[in-house]
Amino acid sequence: MGEVLAGYRATAAARMTELVRAESLVKHFPSGGWLLGRRPPVRALNGVTLSVLRGETLALVGESGSGKTTLARCLLRLTAPTAGRVVFDGIDLFSLPEPEIRKLRRRMQLVFQDPAAALNPRMTAGAAIREPLEAHGISRGSEAKARVSALLAEVGLPPGLAERFPHELSGGQRQRVVIARALSLEPEFLVLDEPVSNLDVSVAAQILNLLADLQEKRGLTYLLIAHDLSVVRHMASRVAVLYAGRIVEIGPCDELYERPLHPYTEALLSAVPSPDPLQSKRRVILGGEPPSPRRIPAGCPFYGRCHHTRRDDRCAGELPVLREVGSAHWSACHYAETLGARR
Amino acid sequence: MNPLLSVRELTVGFETPKGPVRVVDGVSLELAEGETLGLVGESGSGKSTLALSLGRLLDEPPAFIDPGSRIEYAGVNLLALDPERLRTYRGKAIAWIFQDPASSLDPVIKVGHQIAEAVCAHSDVGRKAAWNRAVELLALVGLNDPRDAAHCYPHQLSGGMRQRVAIAAALAGEPKLLVADEPTTALDVTLQAQILALLGDLRERLGMALLLITHDLGVVADIADRVAVMYAGRLVEEGGKEQVLKQPAHPYTEALLRATPRLHRTGPRLPAIPGAAPDPTSWPSGCRFHPRCRYAWDRCSSEEPSQLSGETGRWVRCWLATEPQRRRG
């Protein structure tokens, strides 16, 4: 783990513009008990170090169970890591007293996957947006009302919608309300957890465009969790690929998509079906499933599913360290270079 | 050659307090033996209602199927059959798999028993033979240790494995037509690729026809022979996969393709389709897509186009087909 940290030092310039940093984050969930007997813990995160830079969109991708959501929850201080630190704008989140946290909370917000579940069905859209304003003592009464109207306008909704209940809104409108609510506290950092996965294509495109507009206008920093790699391509400036609770590759979006340097990333990208029927189907169909987070094998966690021609005993026995293999492009594959060279 | 499945003027709706709502409205389509038709539509387009109505799987009432509708399977009008006869077609002629395999599996019965039960329902075999057949089916859908897997409960299997089990159960009656409603939507892309490859493979080996219902144009491009596009209860376009995806004739298909994020197309702004899909309680007048259409002119809001065909098996429900010069600008 120390190696991972040493191997992944942000440059001095990057550190200056860094907003959030995770340092060697480990999160294990104990499991079992008197009823089920002792079972090994779920190792959700196994030493993740990364920085989110101001104004960028960093995407986290990986299969279910790879640790994306746990990582995001640690970064927002919604769950405490087993080991490691989270630093937000120079402040260690887990050594801060409660009142200070409250102030910091306003600066970071979460946009949930399912807007229907994120909104209280008995609360009008306007009340949902006004609630955080009042809870944080920012504004009340007519002032709060004016702010709600301004926020609705900002997310492209007419002011009359404030009186409607969630069930009277379409999926796209509900997601806009959730975004307006998250923006009400003027945050700098937004975690977008699968923001369009429940929406139809035609509506998803509207929401993605809105998020891009808001980022530009407000200078927001996004952490985007998405399983749809095409959506990531449109939104992200950098991409981190998670596998079994570790970053296996991280780099600038274009670079990573055009020249993946980890066999897992390569397989993920080739699994995405393209609407272009003429696109050549040189697909790597990844067999099997990720290792259980209770029993992560020694060596490279991807060993069992890897299709890399150079795969050998070293991969089975030695955990690969995340190392720089291109400009700001890091891979945790012993044979990253030969993967790139083969193409 | 007669088609395996022929749907004519199918209208399916629901009785609501505000009156009847027609969710599928006059849909006609055909499927030949061994063929794969991709039915594309967004939520609310009526595609899942269509899938269920093929076996009269909806509760009637509140659902109703308009008396003018016909669903012919190998020449037999399923809508004219009594419930007892109809049941012999379910699972044996047509089988279904759905988006969420967990919902079609019983959580407290071993998956082997569930499949064996399906085998017994369709053929006159003993329990032992049915169990062995279940193990064979689990092997057919690519489970590594079918013998062990048969003894598992659904919760002991991963999402991808559960979907394989659901497919195995659907195959128990050796159906000639598999209706797959968003079979990969709940899965990770890697598992999606596995399941699509499996469906393609099964279709080849068993000579099954496949009606694949999805919102994902990428999935259609992967596996379909022909594509039909559904919008607001109506089919709006149909054709060969390459025709529809490379040269969409309906503005909705065109807009949907443009709004779909691509792996190798960059830029933060996507050409979104304005507005939202209409509500089935109040379909727009004229062409149902006209309020969101970039080409719409006055005729589109007053008069609904019929299915205007070009060559065989290729048609579009759009006035642009009569005035192609309007497509520019």
Side-chain angles (χ1 to χ4, degrees):
Chain A
M1 212 181 315
E3 286 169 305
V4 177
L5 184 59
Y8 183 57
R9 286 259 179 253
T11 62
R15 178 139 305 169
M16 279 167 60
T17 60
E18 169 188 276
L19 181 61
V20 191
R21 182 169 76 245
E23 286 177 10
S24 310
L25 278 187
V26 175
K27 177 72 185 180
H28 292 174
F29 294 97
S31 58
W34 60 270
L35 188 61
L36 294 169
R38 279 233 162 273
R39 294 167 79 189
V42 170
R43 297 171 202 277
L45 294 178
N46 299 295
V48 170
T49 296
L50 60 76
S51 298
V52 189
L53 309 181
R54 276 180 208 279
E56 80 165 342
T57 299
L58 174 67
L60 294 180
V61 304
E63 290 163 282
S64 330
S66 60
K68 307 186 293 273
T69 300
T70 305
L71 175 56
R73 290 178 59 86
C74 286
L75 295 184
L76 290 170
R77 203 183 184 272
L78 295 174
T79 188
T82 311
R85 302 204 301 159
V86 176
V87 180
F88 182 92
D89 199 13
I91 307 159
D92 184 341
L93 279 189
F94 291 95
S95 64
L96 213 59
E98 207 42 52
E100 298 292 314
I101 286 297
R102 222 177 132 70
K103 270 190 262 167
L104 217 55
R105 278 244 181 277
R106 289 172 49 177
R107 300 173 61 189
M108 47 173 95
Q109 290 292 316
L110 176 61
V111 173
F112 291 94
Q113 174 171 7
D114 182 4
L119 294 170
N120 182 338
R122 290 159 200 259
M123 214 182 238
T124 60
I129 300 169
R130 199 163 55 234
E131 190 182 46
L133 292 172
E134 289 171 353
H136 282 264
I138 293 169
S139 56
R140 16 188 104 255
S142 60
E143 195 195 324
K145 220 169 174 168
R147 280 188 88 138
V148 169
S149 300
L151 283 161
L152 283 172
E154 200 176 346
V155 297
L157 292 174
L161 233 102
E163 305 308 320
R164 303 247 193 106
F165 287 93
H167 74 268
E168 299 172 300
L169 304 173
S170 69
Q173 288 172 331
R174 278 200 288 262
Q175 192 59 299
R176 287 174 195 266
V177 171
V178 170
I179 293 169
R181 179 177 155 105
L183 291 177
S184 65
L185 297 174
E186 313 271 328
E188 294 148 65
F189 180 50
L190 274 188
V191 173
L192 310 168
D193 189 355
E194 300 279 7
V196 296
S197 67
N198 280 352
L199 302 173
D200 279 320
V201 174
S202 67
V203 179
Q206 296 172 11
I207 298 293
L208 293 176
N209 290 345
L210 170 67
L211 289 169
D213 290 340
L214 291 170
Q215 180 170 44
E216 204 174 286
K217 205 172 113 210
R218 291 178 166 243
L220 294 166
T221 303
Y222 289 156
L223 181 75
L224 171 70
I225 300 176
H227 71 279
D228 185 332
L229 292 151
S230 308
V231 166
V232 167
R233 180 75 200 247
H234 278 269
M235 289 278 292
S237 29
R238 283 194 306 142
V239 179
V241 183
L242 262 71
Y243 191 79
R246 285 196 167 82
I247 293 179
V248 294
E249 182 165 4
I250 181 167
C253 190
D254 291 346
E255 158 98 11
L256 188 133
Y257 273 64
E258 297 305 331
R259 210 169 72 95
L261 289 175
H262 193 286
Y264 178 59
T265 314
E266 190 184 49
L268 265 187
L269 290 172
S270 83
V272 178
S274 161
D276 182 351
L278 301 180
Q279 189 132 346
S280 70
K281 280 192 190 150
R282 197 172 48 85
R283 288 172 70 171
V284 184
I285 292 191
L286 205 51
E289 294 183 23
S292 156
R294 292 180 207 280
R295 283 181 298 274
I296 296 175
C300 175
F302 189 57
Y303 176 76
R305 303 168 82 192
C306 185
H307 58 275
H308 195 323
T309 47
R310 285 290 306 275
R311 189 179 83 136
D312 60 15
D313 291 348
R314 185 180 173 204
C315 304
E318 186 189 331
L319 178 69
V321 167
L322 193 62
R323 60 201 172 85
E324 193 158 16
V325 288
S327 164
H329 189 167
W330 302 66
S331 165
C333 173
H334 291 312
Y335 302 113
E337 286 79 1
T338 48
L339 189 70
R342 206 183 57 205
R343 277 184 292 267
Chain B
M1 200 178 77
N2 282 335
L4 179 68
L5 179 78
S6 164
V7 174
R8 288 272 154 265
E9 290 297 315
L10 176 64
T11 295
V12 189
F14 295 91
E15 296 292 350
T16 72
K18 291 175 194 156
V21 173
R22 287 180 175 75
V23 176
V24 175
D25 204 351
V27 166
S28 299
L29 55 85
E30 285 188 353
L31 203 61
E33 263 183 49
E35 188 184 32
T36 299
L37 174 67
L39 180 63
V40 179
E42 296 184 280
S43 48
S45 62
K47 60 190 196 301
S48 293
T49 302
L50 172 67
L52 293 170
S53 64
L54 293 181
R56 290 194 102 158
L57 298 175
L58 295 159
D59 284 330
E60 301 172 40
F64 63 85
I65 297 180
D66 200 85
S69 313
R70 285 179 78 81
I71 299 173
E72 284 185 9
Y73 175 86
V76 179
N77 185 6
L78 300 183
L79 296 179
L81 297 181
D82 58 72
E84 206 52 46
R85 284 285 312 283
L86 181 62
R87 196 168 303 140
T88 62
Y89 281 83
R90 292 185 190 141
K92 213 166 164 59
I94 311 177
W96 286 261
I97 54 172
F98 299 99
Q99 173 172 348
D100 181 10
S103 67
S104 50
L105 297 174
D106 190 323
V108 297
I109 300 178
K110 288 179 179 173
V111 299
H113 282 304
Q114 298 191 43
I115 300 169
E117 194 184 358
V119 171
C120 288
H122 299 301
S123 55
D124 198 13
V125 293
R127 282 178 54 189
K128 185 82 184 108
W131 178 270
N132 289 339
R133 179 74 187 130
V135 173
E136 272 173 40
L137 285 165
L138 288 172
L140 182 71
V141 297
L143 285 184
N144 280 334
D145 296 306
R147 248 161 242 292
D148 293 347
H151 286 285
C152 288
Y153 292 96
H155 76 269
Q156 293 171 308
L157 303 172
S158 68
M161 285 160 85
R162 279 201 290 266
Q163 190 59 289
R164 287 176 192 269
V165 170
I167 294 172
L171 297 179
E174 299 175 24
K176 294 280 235 186
L177 168 62
L178 184 64
V179 179
D181 189 359
E182 302 273 10
T184 61
T185 304
L187 302 175
D188 280 317
V189 304
T190 49
L191 295 177
Q192 167 169 288
Q194 288 178 16
I195 296 291
L196 289 177
L198 171 67
L199 287 174
D201 179 48
L202 289 170
R203 180 189 54 183
E204 300 285 312
R205 283 160 66 185
L206 308 177
M208 245 177 0
L210 189 60
L211 177 61
L212 180 78
I213 297 174
T214 178
H215 72 282
D216 189 333
L217 293 160
V219 167
V220 161
D222 205 70
I223 191 169
D225 303 316
R226 279 190 303 128
V227 177
V229 182
M230 199 163 179
Y231 184 80
R234 291 237 194 252
L235 287 190
V236 296
E237 168 165 19
E238 192 186 333
K241 167 173 75 183
E242 297 195 353
Q243 293 172 318
V244 174
L245 296 181
K246 295 301 283 184
Q247 287 162 324
H250 199 281
Y252 172 62
T253 318
E254 182 187 295
L256 202 57
L257 278 161
R258 282 155 44 97
T260 303
R262 306 283 176 101
L263 208 49
H264 295 288
R265 196 202 277 159
T266 54
R269 300 295 188 285
L270 284 160
I273 307 178
D279 192 81
T281 55
S282 54
W283 297 129
S285 63
C287 168
R288 291 175 182 178
F289 186 61
H290 88 264
R292 304 174 77 189
C293 182
R294 62 201 291 240
Y295 306 112
W297 66 98
D298 37 353
R299 186 179 189 184
C300 303
S301 58
S302 59
E303 204 181 333
E304 185 172 27
S306 55
Q307 299 187 357
L308 303 161
S309 65
E311 51 214 280
T312 330
R314 174 86 177 119
W315 56 262
V316 61
R317 194 189 274 278
C318 177
W319 291 125
L320 274 178
T322 60
E323 295 185 52
Q325 73 283 1
R326 287 192 183 257
R327 194 177 282 274
R328 293 179 209 101

